[in-house]
């Protein structure tokens, strides 16, 4: 797809999606909101991990940090300020962590980033119990549902636009070089350490902003719910099932995966996780390149 056509498609999709809060029922609006959240998370995750092949499991940590920025700042800051602040705090935290752990690869990096979410969750729990003498926070006077929807839509569109811009830039070429052969990329002049930290922080910004935006939807915030590992794992699965090295794949997968999860949850409330796991295993076995590989094969045959 040409760059101008891609920007046009993003703008048209944004305009269409922006009208939905006033056309859909509460249930359907909630479903679309979930799709938008996971679309933004999956695209931003793929922007770093799909390109560099560093398997990050830190999405839940960044999402939870953003949510707690809202929990702590919502009473004194407007919603329009606390959402980007959540992204900035998550990005700053990711940059600090990246300086310490981005020299690792493979299982070591994956395990450390997964443990990051648990570490932050327990640290916030300790702080809340010791100093605030509470475990959860109640968010009073949340914004209108349409405001939350449009905010999440704006963040998801910004994540898609950023991913598109990165993929078409020298920065994106540097990330792709790191993913293909990091040592060779360094010999060609790529500052691998700085590039990885910047991409890791940029990815974390969108996860943190989405966590800050979605926090008001739950009205009651506590560490176990916002640092939920399921959010991180589902983000990774959506991106990988769609095709983490593409831009369109995670977007399509976010729609398919969210609808499938909702259908299985309603029809098979006690078995939906088992059925979902079986379907994912089949997809990995017979469609390892993700959904994106279907039209790549079609294009190769044409």
């Amino acid at each position: 797809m040409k760059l101008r056509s891609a920007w046009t498609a993003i703008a048209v999709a944004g305009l269409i999606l922006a009208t939905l809060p006033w056309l859909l029922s509460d249930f359907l609006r909630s479903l679309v909101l979930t799709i938008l959240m996971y679309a933004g998370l999956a695209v931003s995750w793929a922007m770093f991990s799909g390109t560099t092949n560093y398997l990050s499991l830190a999405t839940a940590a960044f999402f939870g940090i953003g949510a707690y920025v809202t929990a702590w700042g919502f009473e004194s800051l407007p919603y329009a300020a606390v959402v980007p602040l959540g992204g900035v705090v998550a990005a700053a935290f990711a940059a600090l962590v990246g300086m310490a752990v981005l020299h690792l690869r493979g299982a070591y990096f994956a395990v450390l980033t997964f443990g990051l979410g648990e570490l932050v969750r327990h640290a916030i729990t300790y702080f809340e119990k010791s100093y605030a003498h509470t475990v959860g926070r109640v968010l009073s006077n949340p914004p209108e549902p349409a405001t939350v929807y449009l905010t999440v839509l704006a963040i998801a569109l910004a994540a898609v636009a950023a991913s598109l811009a990165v993929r078409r830039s020298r920065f994106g070429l540097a990330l792709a070089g790191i993913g293909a052969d990091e040592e060779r990329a360094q010999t060609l002049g790529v500052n691998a350490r700085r590039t990885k930290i910047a991409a890791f922080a940029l990815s974390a910004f969108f996860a943190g902003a989405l966590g800050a935006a979605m926090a008001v939807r739950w009205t009651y915030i506590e560490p176990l719910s916002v640092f939920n590992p399921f959010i991180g794992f589902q983000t990774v699965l959506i991106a990988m099932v769609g095709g983490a090295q593409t831009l369109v794949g995670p977007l399509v997968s976010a729609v398919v995966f969210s609808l499938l999860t909702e259908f299985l949850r309603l029809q098979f409330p006690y078995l939906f996780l088992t059925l979902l796991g079986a379907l994912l295993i089949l997809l990995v076995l017979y469609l390892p390149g993700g959904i994106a590989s279907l039209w790549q094969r079609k294009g190769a045959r044409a």
Side-chain angles (χ1 to χ4, degrees), residues 187-254:
T187 61
L188 294 174
V190 174
N191 188 327
R193 175 179 172 81
R194 186 172 61 190
T195 302
K196 288 186 295 185
I197 291 172
F200 194 51
L202 180 61
S203 175
F205 171 82
F206 293 106
L210 285 166
M214 291 292 291
V216 296
R217 186 190 181 199
W218 293 306
T219 66
Y220 179 77
I221 304 298
E222 53 98 17
L224 193 60
S225 62
V226 295
F227 290 97
N228 188 348
F230 184 75
I231 294 174
F233 285 128
Q234 186 153 317
T235 298
V236 174
L237 289 173
I238 287 173
M240 294 183 70
V241 167
Q245 295 183 345
T246 68
L247 175 59
V248 178
L251 296 175
V252 175
S253 181

Side-chain angles (χ1 to χ4, degrees), residues 142-292:
E144 294 294 324
T147 302
V148 178
Y149 175 94
L150 292 174
T151 303
V152 172
L153 172 61
I155 298 169
L157 289 174
V160 173
S163 180
L164 178 61
V166 166
R167 290 172 186 273
R168 301 297 179 94
S169 67
R170 294 183 64 183
F171 181 57
L173 290 175
L175 290 172
I178 291 170
D181 189 331
E182 187 168 338
E183 292 183 358
R184 185 178 180 183
Q186 288 177 312
T187 61
L188 294 174
V190 174
N191 188 327
R193 175 179 172 81
R194 186 172 61 190
T195 302
K196 288 186 295 185
I197 291 172
F200 194 51
L202 180 61
S203 175
F205 171 82
F206 293 106
L210 285 166
M214 291 292 291
V216 296
R217 186 190 181 199
W218 293 306
T219 66
Y220 179 77
I221 304 298
E222 53 98 17
L224 193 60
S225 62
V226 295
F227 290 97
N228 188 348
F230 184 75
I231 294 174
F233 285 128
Q234 186 153 317
T235 298
V236 174
L237 289 173
I238 287 173
M240 294 183 70
V241 167
Q245 295 183 345
T246 68
L247 175 59
V248 178
L251 296 175
V252 175
S253 181
V255 177
V256 173
F257 200 92
S258 298
L259 292 176
L260 182 62
T261 300
E262 191 65 26
F263 172 78
L264 292 176
R265 184 180 67 83
L266 293 175
Q267 298 297 322
F268 309 99
Y270 302 107
L271 292 175
F272 89 96
L273 288 177
T274 302
L275 294 173
L276 194 60
L279 286 172
L280 289 172
I281 291 172
L282 291 174
L283 282 170
V284 170
L285 289 175
Y286 297 105
L287 202 63
I291 297 173

Side-chain angles (χ1 to χ4, degrees), residues 38-147:
Y38 278 112
L41 289 174
V43 166
S44 59
W45 181 90
M47 181 166 50
F48 170 74
S49 294
T51 309
T52 62
N53 293 319
Y54 275 74
L55 181 60
S56 170
L57 299 178
T59 301
F62 303 141
F63 185 91
I65 287 171
Y68 256 89
V69 168
T70 297
W72 288 332
F74 188 65
E75 295 297 328
S76 56
L77 293 173
Y79 185 60
V82 79
V83 170
L85 180 61
V88 170
V89 173
F93 179 72
L96 291 174
V97 171
M99 292 178 188
V101 304
L102 275 172
H103 63 283
L104 302 173
R105 294 202 69 159
Y108 296 102
F109 181 75
V111 170
L112 272 173
T113 51
F114 173 74
L116 190 64
E118 295 301 298
L119 175 65
V120 177
R121 179 171 70 85
H122 285 293
I124 288 179
T125 301
Y126 173 80
F127 174 83
E128 290 283 76
K129 288 183 177 179
S130 300
Y131 299 98
H133 305 291
T134 184
V135 176
R137 300 265 177 161
V138 177
L139 301 182
S140 58
N141 299 318
E144 294 294 324
T147 302

